[in-house]
Amino acid sequence: MNIRNSYLTHLSRYIIGAAVLLFAAKQTATAQEKVMNMEEHDSKLYYFGLTFGANASAFKISNTNYFVQQDTFQVIQPKWGPGFHIGLMGSLRINKFIDLRFIPGVVFAEKGIRTVSRSGIVQDNKIESIYGQLPLQLKFKSDRIHNFRFYGLLGGRFDYDMASNARSRRSDEVLRIKPNDLSAEVGFGLEFIYPNFIFSPEIKISQGMMNNHFPDNTIPLSNAIDKINSRMITFSIQIQG
């Protein structure tokens, strides 16, 4: 229940932050003259942009049968950690309402694992990642409402963790994490169309589909964990030309 509440808390913070930013942007947009900005943009076959923002990520942990039998750990609990990202965006127009997007980027993320021993000792461990991400998404757009529209996102993503310690031989590793991952993504965003650029805040939720755990029987925590999947909430700002 604590994990679920933490997930919802992080999601609600991102939504509130997004809402405040969107309200400010909307107020600016409505203050402009009522002219149609960048009308030619909707007919472009392709266009490019820049994306950057913040993220919160955590593991989803499944324990082994050994966890019930062992006398070392009483609790193994994932914790959310902060991060940020930057990338380039390329969009291909399929039709009036659908674009295909490719957004290669670099993501810095931090995930935590809290353990409580049978004797009550609490220890917080951090696992840092530097991902090279290759997302491919379908963008479902609404009709343009003057200089504004909203859209939904659905897609998948390949991640490669350049900071992965899966093959590490260090004896002090808390856990070993595989470098490769595939994730499913869903999200939504808004477009505010200005005379020379498009400002697009968006929020996405992703769920890793692969087991990131690299088993190592020399690490006590590894023996108590069966599967590790990644989760991420991402808030992005996109500037499109």
Side-chain angles (χ1 to χ4, degrees), residues 208-227:
M209 310 302 290
M210 299 175 65
N211 183 6
N212 294 149
H213 182 217
F214 188 89
D216 187 335
N217 57 17
T218 65
I219 301 176
L221 186 57
S222 183
N223 293 323
I225 292 177
D226 181 25
K227 294 181 180 180

Side-chain angles (χ1 to χ4, degrees), residues 188-230:
F188 67 91
L190 301 174
E191 288 187 350
F192 298 95
I193 306 168
Y194 291 86
N196 299 311
F197 67 94
I198 298 175
F199 174 81
S200 298
E202 70 177 39
I203 188 168
K204 297 189 297 289
I205 301 173
S206 65
Q207 173 67 54
M209 310 302 290
M210 299 175 65
N211 183 6
N212 294 149
H213 182 217
F214 188 89
D216 187 335
N217 57 17
T218 65
I219 301 176
L221 186 57
S222 183
N223 293 323
I225 292 177
D226 181 25
K227 294 181 180 180
I228 292 178
N229 299 100
S230 62

